[in-house]
Amino acid sequence: MDGLDMKRFHIPQHGNRAMVNQEAYRRELEYLIQYAHDDWLGFSVVSGAVGGLLGRGASFEVQRGLLLRIVGDLYDAGARAGDLTESTSEPFLPWRAVKAEALTRIAAEVEPHSRWPDSGDVCWFAVP
């Protein structure tokens, strides 16, 4: 994400990065990108990655910031947020949203929860 998005979504920074081990972040992101290429990536898998990278004790704001960073990087790698459908011909329906719109929507949908939503509560990710 660029600096504007980092400020807009209140992503804690250390330099230009959220405070996580960058090598661990890179490995986790590569795994999530591959997952989105191979299958529908559930929201809970992404939020689980956030927990794994931050460990215990991180505030919801810090967790949400890292989640949005990951989603932004998934978008940059070609993945899109969307919904699963009943259709056999089009089982994944990507949102018609650019990256900033998807980040805003996801941020708004996770904010009211006292816990991370389940996979189908917000969205799924896939490379269409």
Side-chain angles (χ1 to χ4, degrees):
M1 280 189 202
D2 62 27
L4 179 63
D5 284 335
M6 298 287 276
K7 290 176 185 166
R8 180 175 177 198
F9 294 111
H10 310 290
I11 298 172
Q13 297 181 54
H14 179 71
N16 286 332
R17 300 285 187 198
M19 295 178 281
V20 297
N21 176 295
Q22 294 307 301
E23 180 60 24
Y25 180 86
R26 184 192 59 75
R27 283 191 312 269
E28 192 66 35
L29 182 62
E30 286 175 0
Y31 167 77
L32 295 172
I33 291 168
Q34 187 60 49
Y35 196 135
H37 274 276
D38 295 341
D39 200 355
W40 301 303
L41 172 62
F43 191 85
S44 62
V45 177
V46 179
S47 61
V50 169
L53 288 166
L54 291 174
R56 293 181 169 260
S59 71
F60 183 76
E61 180 179 89
V62 169
Q63 292 178 48
R64 185 190 66 183
L66 184 57
L67 173 92
L68 294 173
R69 176 180 167 196
I70 291 170
V71 170
D73 287 343
L74 285 169
Y75 258 72
D76 291 344
R80 294 296 176 260
D83 299 301
L84 297 183
T85 71
E86 299 289 325
S87 170
T88 56
S89 63
E90 199 171 10
F92 178 77
L93 186 62
W95 293 348
R96 295 179 189 262
V98 296
K99 178 176 153 180
E101 294 167 337
L103 290 170
T104 299
R105 180 174 171 179
I106 290 168
E109 291 198 32
V110 300
E111 190 62 37
H113 296 276
S114 59
R115 59 168 179 74
W116 284 112
D118 292 327
S119 283
D121 289 347
V122 175
C123 63
W124 295 80
F125 298 94
V127 175

